[in-house]
Amino acid sequence: MAGDLDHALRTLADNLRYHRAQRAWTQDDLAQASGVSRRMIAALEAARNNVSLSTLDHLAQALSLTFAELVSPRLSAGTGQVQRGVTLWTSSHPGSQAVLVNTAPARQGTELWHWHLGPGDHYVAAPDPQGMTELLYVLHGELTVEFMDRQVRLEAGDSLTYPSDQPYTYRNTGPAPTGFIRNVTH
C-alpha cells in the first residue's frame, strides 16, 4: 500500500509541474491562484508530502482541471488502454483506502452497472449512440473485451475506458465467475 501511495504522489507531482508549466506559472503564481502555500506546492512537486483531498481540489480548480485530471496518469480517459487504480488516501486503520480507478468525461448522464458472467459466458453489445463511453472495473475473475480490431484481457483490479459507439463483446474466458462494474457515460 505504501508503494501505491508513493506512485500516486509521483503522479501528482508530475501532473502539478506539467500543468503549472503549461500556464507558464511559477510556484508562487499557483500559490496565489489556489490559496495553497508555495512551500506545500514545492513539497508536492517533489513528491515529498501527503496532502488532503481538499488541498488537491483547490489546486485542481486553480489549474482549471478536474480532480481526476490532477491525480491520474495523463494517458488515461478514453484511450482504450488498461488502467490500474491509484490509491489517493490511506489511514492507520488496516484496509482503509480510497482508490481512483479510472475517469471518463460525461456530458449528460452516467449509468452504473454491476455485471456477473459465468465461465464461458459472453454478452454481445450493439454499438451505443455516438459520444457514449464505457468504463469497466473488474472485481474478480477475468474479462475479455472484444472489439472489431482487437481483444483486451482484464483481470481483477484492471479497468478500461473506451468509446462504446462500436460493436464489442464481453467474454469470460476464465475458469471462475467474473464480476465487474460498468459505467456508461453520455
Short mmCIF file of all heavy atoms in Angstrom, two decimals, residues 129-171:
data_model
loop_
_atom_site.label_atom_id
_atom_site.label_comp_id
_atom_site.label_asym_id
_atom_site.label_seq_id
_atom_site.Cartn_x
_atom_site.Cartn_y
_atom_site.Cartn_z
N PRO A 129 -25.06 5.05 -29.12
CA PRO A 129 -25.02 6.27 -29.93
C PRO A 129 -23.66 6.96 -29.84
O PRO A 129 -22.92 6.80 -28.86
CB PRO A 129 -26.12 7.15 -29.31
CG PRO A 129 -27.04 6.17 -28.64
CD PRO A 129 -26.16 5.06 -28.16
N GLN A 130 -23.34 7.73 -30.86
CA GLN A 130 -22.09 8.49 -30.93
C GLN A 130 -21.89 9.29 -29.65
O GLN A 130 -22.82 9.89 -29.13
CB GLN A 130 -22.14 9.44 -32.14
CG GLN A 130 -20.88 10.23 -32.38
CD GLN A 130 -19.78 9.39 -32.98
OE1 GLN A 130 -20.03 8.41 -33.65
NE2 GLN A 130 -18.55 9.78 -32.73
N GLY A 131 -20.66 9.29 -29.14
CA GLY A 131 -20.31 10.10 -27.98
C GLY A 131 -20.42 9.38 -26.65
O GLY A 131 -20.08 9.96 -25.62
N MET A 132 -20.90 8.15 -26.64
CA MET A 132 -21.01 7.42 -25.38
C MET A 132 -19.70 6.71 -25.06
O MET A 132 -18.97 6.31 -25.97
CB MET A 132 -22.18 6.45 -25.41
CG MET A 132 -23.52 7.18 -25.48
SD MET A 132 -24.95 6.10 -25.40
CE MET A 132 -24.99 5.68 -23.67
N THR A 133 -19.41 6.58 -23.78
CA THR A 133 -18.18 5.97 -23.30
C THR A 133 -18.51 4.95 -22.23
O THR A 133 -19.44 5.15 -21.46
CB THR A 133 -17.25 7.05 -22.69
OG1 THR A 133 -16.97 8.03 -23.68
CG2 THR A 133 -15.95 6.46 -22.19
N GLU A 134 -17.75 3.87 -22.20
CA GLU A 134 -17.88 2.89 -21.12
C GLU A 134 -16.59 2.84 -20.34
O GLU A 134 -15.50 2.98 -20.89
CB GLU A 134 -18.21 1.50 -21.67
CG GLU A 134 -19.61 1.43 -22.20
CD GLU A 134 -20.16 0.01 -22.31
OE1 GLU A 134 -19.49 -0.94 -21.84
OE2 GLU A 134 -21.24 -0.13 -22.88
N LEU A 135 -16.74 2.61 -19.05
CA LEU A 135 -15.63 2.45 -18.14
C LEU A 135 -15.89 1.18 -17.36
O LEU A 135 -16.94 1.05 -16.73
CB LEU A 135 -15.55 3.66 -17.21
CG LEU A 135 -14.35 3.76 -16.31
CD1 LEU A 135 -13.95 5.22 -16.18
CD2 LEU A 135 -14.62 3.19 -14.96
N LEU A 136 -14.99 0.21 -17.45
CA LEU A 136 -15.14 -1.08 -16.78
C LEU A 136 -14.13 -1.21 -15.66
O LEU A 136 -12.99 -0.74 -15.80
CB LEU A 136 -14.93 -2.24 -17.76
CG LEU A 136 -15.76 -2.26 -19.03
CD1 LEU A 136 -15.33 -3.45 -19.89
CD2 LEU A 136 -17.24 -2.34 -18.70
N TYR A 137 -14.51 -1.90 -14.59
CA TYR A 137 -13.59 -2.23 -13.50
C TYR A 137 -13.87 -3.66 -13.08
O TYR A 137 -14.99 -3.98 -12.65
CB TYR A 137 -13.78 -1.28 -12.32
CG TYR A 137 -12.89 -1.62 -11.15
CD1 TYR A 137 -11.51 -1.41 -11.23
CD2 TYR A 137 -13.40 -2.15 -9.99
CE1 TYR A 137 -10.68 -1.72 -10.17
CE2 TYR A 137 -12.58 -2.47 -8.92
CZ TYR A 137 -11.22 -2.25 -9.02
OH TYR A 137 -10.39 -2.57 -7.98
N VAL A 138 -12.88 -4.53 -13.19
CA VAL A 138 -13.06 -5.94 -12.88
C VAL A 138 -12.85 -6.17 -11.39
O VAL A 138 -11.79 -5.86 -10.84
CB VAL A 138 -12.10 -6.82 -13.72
CG1 VAL A 138 -12.27 -8.29 -13.35
CG2 VAL A 138 -12.35 -6.61 -15.21
N LEU A 139 -13.89 -6.72 -10.75
CA LEU A 139 -13.84 -7.01 -9.31
C LEU A 139 -13.17 -8.35 -9.04
O LEU A 139 -12.36 -8.47 -8.12
CB LEU A 139 -15.25 -7.02 -8.73
CG LEU A 139 -16.01 -5.70 -8.84
CD1 LEU A 139 -17.48 -5.91 -8.53
CD2 LEU A 139 -15.39 -4.67 -7.92
N HIS A 140 -13.55 -9.37 -9.81
CA HIS A 140 -12.96 -10.69 -9.65
C HIS A 140 -13.10 -11.47 -10.95
O HIS A 140 -13.96 -11.17 -11.78
CB HIS A 140 -13.60 -11.47 -8.48
CG HIS A 140 -15.08 -11.62 -8.60
ND1 HIS A 140 -15.68 -12.62 -9.33
CD2 HIS A 140 -16.09 -10.89 -8.07
CE1 HIS A 140 -17.00 -12.50 -9.24
NE2 HIS A 140 -17.26 -11.45 -8.49
N GLY A 141 -12.21 -12.44 -11.13
CA GLY A 141 -12.22 -13.24 -12.35
C GLY A 141 -11.47 -12.56 -13.49
O GLY A 141 -10.66 -11.66 -13.27
N GLU A 142 -11.76 -13.02 -14.71
CA GLU A 142 -11.13 -12.50 -15.92
C GLU A 142 -12.22 -12.04 -16.88
O GLU A 142 -13.27 -12.66 -16.97
CB GLU A 142 -10.31 -13.58 -16.61
CG GLU A 142 -9.19 -14.15 -15.79
CD GLU A 142 -8.53 -15.34 -16.47
OE1 GLU A 142 -8.78 -15.59 -17.66
OE2 GLU A 142 -7.76 -16.02 -15.78
N LEU A 143 -11.95 -10.97 -17.60
CA LEU A 143 -12.89 -10.46 -18.59
C LEU A 143 -12.11 -10.09 -19.84
O LEU A 143 -11.10 -9.39 -19.77
CB LEU A 143 -13.63 -9.22 -18.07
CG LEU A 143 -14.60 -8.56 -19.04
CD1 LEU A 143 -15.80 -9.47 -19.30
CD2 LEU A 143 -15.06 -7.21 -18.50
N THR A 144 -12.58 -10.59 -20.98
CA THR A 144 -12.00 -10.19 -22.26
C THR A 144 -13.04 -9.32 -22.97
O THR A 144 -14.20 -9.70 -23.09
CB THR A 144 -11.65 -11.41 -23.12
OG1 THR A 144 -10.67 -12.18 -22.42
CG2 THR A 144 -11.09 -10.99 -24.47
N VAL A 145 -12.61 -8.14 -23.41
CA VAL A 145 -13.48 -7.26 -24.19
C VAL A 145 -12.98 -7.35 -25.63
O VAL A 145 -11.81 -7.07 -25.91
CB VAL A 145 -13.44 -5.81 -23.69
CG1 VAL A 145 -14.41 -4.94 -24.48
CG2 VAL A 145 -13.74 -5.75 -22.19
N GLU A 146 -13.87 -7.77 -26.52
CA GLU A 146 -13.52 -7.96 -27.92
C GLU A 146 -14.08 -6.81 -28.75
O GLU A 146 -15.27 -6.50 -28.67
CB GLU A 146 -14.07 -9.28 -28.44
CG GLU A 146 -13.53 -10.49 -27.69
CD GLU A 146 -14.23 -11.78 -28.07
OE1 GLU A 146 -15.28 -11.74 -28.75
OE2 GLU A 146 -13.71 -12.84 -27.67
N PHE A 147 -13.21 -6.18 -29.53
CA PHE A 147 -13.60 -5.14 -30.46
C PHE A 147 -13.39 -5.71 -31.86
O PHE A 147 -12.86 -6.80 -32.02
CB PHE A 147 -12.75 -3.88 -30.25
CG PHE A 147 -12.87 -3.31 -28.87
CD1 PHE A 147 -11.90 -3.57 -27.90
CD2 PHE A 147 -13.94 -2.51 -28.53
CE1 PHE A 147 -12.01 -3.05 -26.63
CE2 PHE A 147 -14.07 -1.98 -27.25
CZ PHE A 147 -13.09 -2.25 -26.30
N MET A 148 -13.77 -4.97 -32.88
CA MET A 148 -13.61 -5.45 -34.25
C MET A 148 -12.15 -5.71 -34.59
O MET A 148 -11.83 -6.66 -35.30
CB MET A 148 -14.22 -4.46 -35.24
CG MET A 148 -15.74 -4.44 -35.18
SD MET A 148 -16.52 -3.22 -36.27
CE MET A 148 -15.71 -3.45 -37.81
N ASP A 149 -11.23 -4.88 -34.05
CA ASP A 149 -9.83 -4.96 -34.45
C ASP A 149 -8.88 -5.49 -33.38
O ASP A 149 -7.68 -5.62 -33.61
CB ASP A 149 -9.34 -3.59 -34.92
CG ASP A 149 -9.44 -2.53 -33.84
OD1 ASP A 149 -10.13 -2.76 -32.82
OD2 ASP A 149 -8.83 -1.46 -34.01
N ARG A 150 -9.40 -5.80 -32.17
CA ARG A 150 -8.51 -6.26 -31.11
C ARG A 150 -9.30 -6.84 -29.94
O ARG A 150 -10.51 -6.67 -29.85
CB ARG A 150 -7.63 -5.13 -30.60
CG ARG A 150 -8.43 -4.03 -29.91
CD ARG A 150 -7.56 -2.83 -29.60
NE ARG A 150 -8.36 -1.76 -29.08
CZ ARG A 150 -8.34 -1.37 -27.82
NH1 ARG A 150 -7.54 -1.93 -26.95
NH2 ARG A 150 -9.11 -0.38 -27.41
N GLN A 151 -8.57 -7.49 -29.05
CA GLN A 151 -9.13 -8.01 -27.80
C GLN A 151 -8.30 -7.45 -26.65
O GLN A 151 -7.08 -7.30 -26.77
CB GLN A 151 -9.05 -9.53 -27.75
CG GLN A 151 -9.91 -10.23 -28.75
CD GLN A 151 -9.84 -11.75 -28.57
OE1 GLN A 151 -9.15 -12.26 -27.69
NE2 GLN A 151 -10.56 -12.47 -29.40
N VAL A 152 -8.98 -7.15 -25.53
CA VAL A 152 -8.30 -6.66 -24.34
C VAL A 152 -8.69 -7.56 -23.19
O VAL A 152 -9.87 -7.74 -22.91
CB VAL A 152 -8.71 -5.20 -24.03
CG1 VAL A 152 -8.01 -4.71 -22.77
CG2 VAL A 152 -8.40 -4.29 -25.21
N ARG A 153 -7.68 -8.15 -22.53
CA ARG A 153 -7.93 -9.04 -21.40
C ARG A 153 -7.70 -8.29 -20.10
O ARG A 153 -6.66 -7.66 -19.91
CB ARG A 153 -6.99 -10.25 -21.47
CG ARG A 153 -7.27 -11.27 -20.40
CD ARG A 153 -6.34 -12.48 -20.57
NE ARG A 153 -6.41 -13.36 -19.46
CZ ARG A 153 -5.74 -13.21 -18.31
NH1 ARG A 153 -4.93 -12.18 -18.18
NH2 ARG A 153 -5.86 -14.07 -17.33
N LEU A 154 -8.68 -8.36 -19.21
CA LEU A 154 -8.62 -7.68 -17.93
C LEU A 154 -8.68 -8.70 -16.80
O LEU A 154 -9.40 -9.71 -16.89
CB LEU A 154 -9.80 -6.71 -17.77
CG LEU A 154 -9.98 -5.68 -18.88
CD1 LEU A 154 -11.34 -5.01 -18.76
CD2 LEU A 154 -8.88 -4.66 -18.82
N GLU A 155 -7.97 -8.42 -15.72
CA GLU A 155 -8.01 -9.23 -14.51
C GLU A 155 -8.54 -8.37 -13.37
O GLU A 155 -8.68 -7.15 -13.53
CB GLU A 155 -6.60 -9.72 -14.17
CG GLU A 155 -5.99 -10.61 -15.23
CD GLU A 155 -4.55 -10.98 -14.92
OE1 GLU A 155 -3.96 -10.39 -13.98
OE2 GLU A 155 -4.03 -11.87 -15.60
N ALA A 156 -8.79 -9.00 -12.24
CA ALA A 156 -9.26 -8.26 -11.06
C ALA A 156 -8.33 -7.08 -10.78
O ALA A 156 -7.11 -7.22 -10.77
CB ALA A 156 -9.33 -9.19 -9.86
N GLY A 157 -8.92 -5.90 -10.60
CA GLY A 157 -8.16 -4.69 -10.34
C GLY A 157 -7.86 -3.86 -11.57
O GLY A 157 -7.42 -2.72 -11.46
N ASP A 158 -8.08 -4.41 -12.76
CA ASP A 158 -7.86 -3.66 -14.00
C ASP A 158 -9.10 -2.87 -14.37
O ASP A 158 -10.23 -3.25 -14.04
CB ASP A 158 -7.55 -4.60 -15.17
CG ASP A 158 -6.18 -5.26 -15.07
OD1 ASP A 158 -5.31 -4.75 -14.34
OD2 ASP A 158 -6.00 -6.29 -15.73
N SER A 159 -8.91 -1.77 -15.09
CA SER A 159 -10.02 -1.01 -15.62
C SER A 159 -9.72 -0.63 -17.06
O SER A 159 -8.58 -0.65 -17.50
CB SER A 159 -10.30 0.24 -14.77
OG SER A 159 -9.23 1.15 -14.85
N LEU A 160 -10.77 -0.30 -17.79
CA LEU A 160 -10.65 0.02 -19.20
C LEU A 160 -11.71 1.06 -19.55
O LEU A 160 -12.86 0.92 -19.14
CB LEU A 160 -10.87 -1.25 -20.04
CG LEU A 160 -10.83 -1.09 -21.56
CD1 LEU A 160 -9.40 -0.80 -22.02
CD2 LEU A 160 -11.35 -2.36 -22.23
N THR A 161 -11.33 2.08 -20.28
CA THR A 161 -12.25 3.09 -20.78
C THR A 161 -12.17 3.09 -22.29
O THR A 161 -11.08 3.06 -22.85
CB THR A 161 -11.88 4.49 -20.25
OG1 THR A 161 -11.81 4.44 -18.83
CG2 THR A 161 -12.89 5.53 -20.67
N TYR A 162 -13.34 3.14 -22.96
CA TYR A 162 -13.34 3.11 -24.42
C TYR A 162 -14.65 3.71 -24.94
O TYR A 162 -15.67 3.70 -24.25
CB TYR A 162 -13.18 1.68 -24.95
CG TYR A 162 -14.20 0.72 -24.44
CD1 TYR A 162 -15.40 0.50 -25.11
CD2 TYR A 162 -14.00 0.03 -23.25
CE1 TYR A 162 -16.35 -0.37 -24.62
CE2 TYR A 162 -14.94 -0.83 -22.75
CZ TYR A 162 -16.11 -1.03 -23.44
OH TYR A 162 -17.07 -1.89 -22.93
N PRO A 163 -14.63 4.25 -26.17
CA PRO A 163 -15.88 4.71 -26.78
C PRO A 163 -16.75 3.49 -27.10
O PRO A 163 -16.27 2.52 -27.70
CB PRO A 163 -15.42 5.44 -28.04
CG PRO A 163 -13.99 5.11 -28.23
CD PRO A 163 -13.46 4.49 -26.99
N SER A 164 -18.01 3.54 -26.70
CA SER A 164 -18.90 2.38 -26.89
C SER A 164 -19.79 2.51 -28.11
O SER A 164 -20.74 1.76 -28.26
CB SER A 164 -19.74 2.15 -25.63
OG SER A 164 -20.49 3.29 -25.32
N ASP A 165 -19.46 3.44 -29.00
CA ASP A 165 -20.22 3.58 -30.25
C ASP A 165 -19.63 2.67 -31.33
O ASP A 165 -19.51 3.06 -32.48
CB ASP A 165 -20.29 5.04 -30.69
CG ASP A 165 -18.92 5.68 -30.85
OD1 ASP A 165 -17.89 5.00 -30.59
OD2 ASP A 165 -18.86 6.86 -31.22
N GLN A 166 -19.27 1.47 -30.92
CA GLN A 166 -18.68 0.46 -31.80
C GLN A 166 -19.16 -0.91 -31.31
O GLN A 166 -19.53 -1.05 -30.14
CB GLN A 166 -17.15 0.53 -31.75
CG GLN A 166 -16.59 0.29 -30.34
CD GLN A 166 -15.10 0.43 -30.26
OE1 GLN A 166 -14.39 -0.08 -31.12
NE2 GLN A 166 -14.60 1.12 -29.24
N PRO A 167 -19.15 -1.93 -32.16
CA PRO A 167 -19.50 -3.26 -31.68
C PRO A 167 -18.45 -3.77 -30.69
O PRO A 167 -17.25 -3.55 -30.87
CB PRO A 167 -19.48 -4.12 -32.95
CG PRO A 167 -19.52 -3.16 -34.09
CD PRO A 167 -18.90 -1.89 -33.60
N TYR A 168 -18.91 -4.45 -29.63
CA TYR A 168 -17.98 -5.04 -28.67
C TYR A 168 -18.69 -6.20 -27.97
O TYR A 168 -19.92 -6.30 -27.96
CB TYR A 168 -17.47 -4.01 -27.65
CG TYR A 168 -18.56 -3.32 -26.87
CD1 TYR A 168 -18.94 -3.79 -25.62
CD2 TYR A 168 -19.20 -2.20 -27.37
CE1 TYR A 168 -19.95 -3.16 -24.90
CE2 TYR A 168 -20.20 -1.57 -26.67
CZ TYR A 168 -20.57 -2.04 -25.42
OH TYR A 168 -21.57 -1.43 -24.72
N THR A 169 -17.89 -7.07 -27.38
CA THR A 169 -18.39 -8.24 -26.69
C THR A 169 -17.66 -8.39 -25.37
O THR A 169 -16.44 -8.21 -25.32
CB THR A 169 -18.16 -9.52 -27.53
OG1 THR A 169 -18.86 -9.38 -28.77
CG2 THR A 169 -18.64 -10.77 -26.82
N TYR A 170 -18.41 -8.71 -24.30
CA TYR A 170 -17.79 -9.10 -23.03
C TYR A 170 -17.72 -10.62 -23.03
O TYR A 170 -18.72 -11.29 -23.30
CB TYR A 170 -18.66 -8.69 -21.83
CG TYR A 170 -18.98 -7.23 -21.72
CD1 TYR A 170 -20.23 -6.82 -21.32
CD2 TYR A 170 -18.02 -6.25 -21.97
CE1 TYR A 170 -20.55 -5.49 -21.18
CE2 TYR A 170 -18.33 -4.91 -21.84
CZ TYR A 170 -19.59 -4.54 -21.44
OH TYR A 170 -19.90 -3.22 -21.31
N ARG A 171 -16.56 -11.17 -22.66
CA ARG A 171 -16.41 -12.62 -22.64
C ARG A 171 -15.63 -13.04 -21.40
O ARG A 171 -14.56 -12.51 -21.12
CB ARG A 171 -15.68 -13.08 -23.90
CG ARG A 171 -15.66 -14.59 -24.09
CD ARG A 171 -15.06 -14.99 -25.44
NE ARG A 171 -15.71 -14.38 -26.58
CZ ARG A 171 -16.84 -14.82 -27.16
NH1 ARG A 171 -17.46 -15.88 -26.67
NH2 ARG A 171 -17.34 -14.19 -28.21
#
